[in-house]
Amino acid sequence: MATINDNFLKLKAGYLFPEIGRRVNAFCDAHAEANVIKLGIGDVTEPLPGAIREALHSAVDEMGANQSFRGYGPEQGYDFLRNAIAENDYQSRGCDVSADEIFISDGSKCDTGNILDIFGPNNTVAVQDPVYPVYVDTNVMAGRTGEADEDGRYAGLTYLPCTVENDFTPNVPEQPVDMIYLCYPNNPTGSVATKETLKKWVDYALENGSLILFDAAYEAFITDEEIPHSIYEIDGARDCAIEFRSFSKNSGFTGTRCAFTVVPKSLKGKTADGSETDIHSLWNRRQSTKFNGVSYIIQRGAEAAYSEAGKQQIGALIDFYLTNARILNEGLQSVGIDTYGGVNAPYIWLKTPEGMKSWEFFDHLLDKAHLVGTPGSGFGASGEGYFRLSAFNSRANVEEAVTRLKKLIG
Ligand SMILES: *Cc1c(COP(=O)(O)O)cnc(C)c1O
């Protein structure tokens, strides 16, 4: 009989969202009449912008004619999209990133997991706590951790608690760590990192030979002019950081699928014999072997996000979600709830009232107000006593949610 990768058995069984789904389904079965509003999973709700839909349609038509039909594309993505990204997301902000350092993919979830293929099994890893669960679980699968304790903390990982005291932006660790995941604007806390904060991380990484895995999936939600959009706005980041971006949350692409990863050519890693080698060519090799590129049609859709009309429509979409976040924030604060985030991010991180545990508040909210959110403890031990509400919903649902919250808590 074939043996299995035993690391999978270390994974905590009840992954957060299935457990939420289970409790919501049980509630709905028992209360068929209830109008349950879901502010839980971080998934967009508004339609694809028109400029993107038009680009998708015309790419479909191209595929329908002999002279413009395309088969396999480049594994790294088409130049038209890589160039648009390099120009609009990086060069326009003064970041030194070239088109051939950008790898198009079908999602940042897969990229943040797949990147581990090219790094050694003995690297030490640090994550923010609470954290996007993908970073942790993929490292468990890859064998970089021991077993989990009662609070769900895996042996061998360095957890960086994000607390009220540090404004949900933890400081660099005392000891050297090989790989560090940073997510800004943050899921789940909605916190952002200033230039000074990111500079501390880049300086730490350069000093200790660490690699920063920077997840900027929510970059488009930054409204504050002082907040950097990319880690490459910091001097030295080209020598210590990989950046992940996605069209999912800004362009409504969660169901359409397109993302990209930036691997600078100057980035180095260490081989077993202690010599330096470049990481860009390893990722290129990995993608060329295990990935066959994103659909031409989808890449044309993503390209349209950078057209004048596309930029304007995406701006309106982001505004819409951020207004939802403001309405939620104001409603919660008006009944005395402490809230964080929701200004440069589509998530509101709130302190549960009366010291309730995260899951206790989840059940309370579902039972009494027919509202679904995400228990903070599901994102990590330091999330206990907190709760995440997402601004991804219709205006009517957000307003109704606030009315119910005020009635329940006020
Ligand atoms: C939604 C999200 C992503 C994007 O994932 P895709 O696979 O590109 O849809 C990446 N990182 C975080 C933290 C997210 O919340």
Side-chain angles (χ1 to χ4, degrees):
M1 194 179 287
T3 59
I4 59 147
N5 176 350
D6 278 288
N7 294 312
F8 277 66
L9 304 181
K10 296 177 193 162
L11 294 165
K12 296 288 273 184
Y15 179 66
L16 181 59
F17 293 106
E19 176 59 20
I20 291 174
R22 201 187 59 71
R23 293 196 193 196
V24 172
N25 288 340
F27 179 84
C28 290
D29 287 347
H31 307 85
E33 74 300 339
N35 167 23
V36 174
I37 296 179
K38 295 181 183 170
L39 301 166
I41 296 186
D43 192 2
V44 296
T45 54
E46 299 309 295
L48 283 175
I52 290 172
R53 293 201 308 273
E54 276 170 35
L56 292 170
H57 279 299
S58 67
V60 169
D61 289 340
E62 281 184 73
M63 294 298 258
N66 273 85
Q67 34 333 343
S68 50
F69 171 80
R70 317 248 179 162
Y72 288 125
E75 291 97 346
Q76 302 80 359
Y78 282 102
D79 281 342
F80 61 78
L81 181 55
R82 299 172 94 192
N83 287 329
I85 293 168
E87 258 174 62
N88 289 279
D89 283 325
Y90 295 105
Q91 288 153 12
S92 74
R93 288 189 183 279
C95 300
D96 176 17
V97 169
S98 61
D100 60 0
E101 295 176 316
I102 295 164
F103 294 83
I104 311 299
S105 77
D106 58 354
S108 284
K109 188 190 205 178
C110 2
D111 283 353
T112 51
N114 291 340
I115 200 83
L116 296 178
D117 271 11
I118 64 171
F119 294 104
N122 297 324
N123 285 323
T124 51
V125 175
V127 293
Q128 292 167 294
D129 172 21
V131 66
Y132 181 54
V134 175
Y135 315 146
V136 172
D137 288 0
T138 53
N139 274 288
V140 174
M141 291 171 179
R144 280 196 198 86
T145 75
E147 299 288 338
D149 68 13
E150 276 173 17
D151 295 327
R153 284 197 174 98
Y154 289 93
L157 283 190
T158 299
Y159 289 91
L160 308 167
C162 303
T163 61
V164 178
E165 290 74 32
N166 61 26
D167 220 5
F168 303 100
T169 51
N171 211 339
V172 300
E174 315 254 308
Q175 72 286 19
V177 177
D178 299 316
M179 296 172 35
I180 301 145
Y181 290 85
L182 293 179
C183 176
Y184 287 115
N186 188 260
N187 176 9
T189 68
S191 66
V192 286
T194 61
K195 246 189 159 129
E196 294 69 48
T197 300
L198 289 186
K199 185 174 180 325
K200 265 199 261 177
W201 279 105
V202 168
D203 291 347
Y204 168 90
L206 292 174
E207 209 166 289
N208 293 288
S210 323
L211 173 72
I212 296 173
L213 299 164
F214 192 76
D215 186 344
Y218 297 94
E219 162 278 328
F221 292 84
I222 294 173
T223 52
D224 189 333
E225 302 228 328
E226 298 298 306
I227 301 295
H229 288 240
S230 165
I231 187 96
Y232 303 117
E233 289 180 49
I234 313 299
D235 284 341
R238 282 184 56 85
D239 299 321
C240 65
I242 290 174
E243 180 164 292
F244 303 95
R245 293 251 193 131
S246 173
F247 293 92
S248 281
K249 312 299 170 27
N250 59 355
S251 309
F253 264 50
T254 53
T256 309
R257 312 304 306 143
C258 197
F260 59 92
T261 292
V262 180
V263 185
K265 290 187 163 169
S266 45
L267 196 59
K268 301 277 188 237
K270 203 166 63 183
T271 63
D273 67 12
S275 59
E276 285 189 354
T277 190
D278 92 284
I279 289 177
H280 179 278
S281 60
L282 294 186
W283 183 242
N284 191 44
R285 187 70 171 81
R286 190 268 172 213
Q287 290 297 79
S288 310
T289 301
K290 293 199 186 181
F291 185 60
N292 240 342
V294 174
S295 140
Y296 171 74
I297 298 164
I298 299 304
Q299 291 190 63
R300 280 293 183 199
E303 180 195 25
Y306 299 103
S307 67
E308 274 319 304
K311 282 182 193 170
Q312 195 255 326
Q313 291 162 13
I314 286 169
L317 204 52
I318 301 278
D319 264 1
F320 173 82
Y321 290 127
L322 286 177
T323 302
N324 282 351
R326 185 171 52 73
I327 292 168
L328 283 168
N329 247 335
E330 288 172 0
L332 289 159
Q333 287 164 9
S334 77
V335 291
I337 301 274
D338 290 331
T339 71
Y340 309 91
V343 177
N344 295 291
Y347 298 118
I348 287 156
W349 189 242
L350 63 95
K351 183 92 198 75
T352 58
E354 294 161 28
M356 276 190 209
K357 296 258 191 197
S358 299
W359 275 110
E360 208 183 326
F361 186 63
F362 175 92
D363 290 332
H364 181 63
L365 214 54
L366 179 58
D367 261 357
K368 299 288 181 328
H370 307 171
L371 295 177
V372 180
T374 314
S377 57
F379 295 104
S382 297
E384 182 58 275
Y386 288 87
F387 200 76
R388 189 190 78 176
L389 287 180
S390 143
F392 294 126
N393 218 313
S394 67
R395 184 61 44 79
N397 276 350
V398 164
E399 283 171 348
E400 171 63 17
V402 166
T403 304
R404 293 185 197 174
L405 281 164
K406 283 183 171 172
K407 206 163 129 199
L408 179 70
I409 299 165

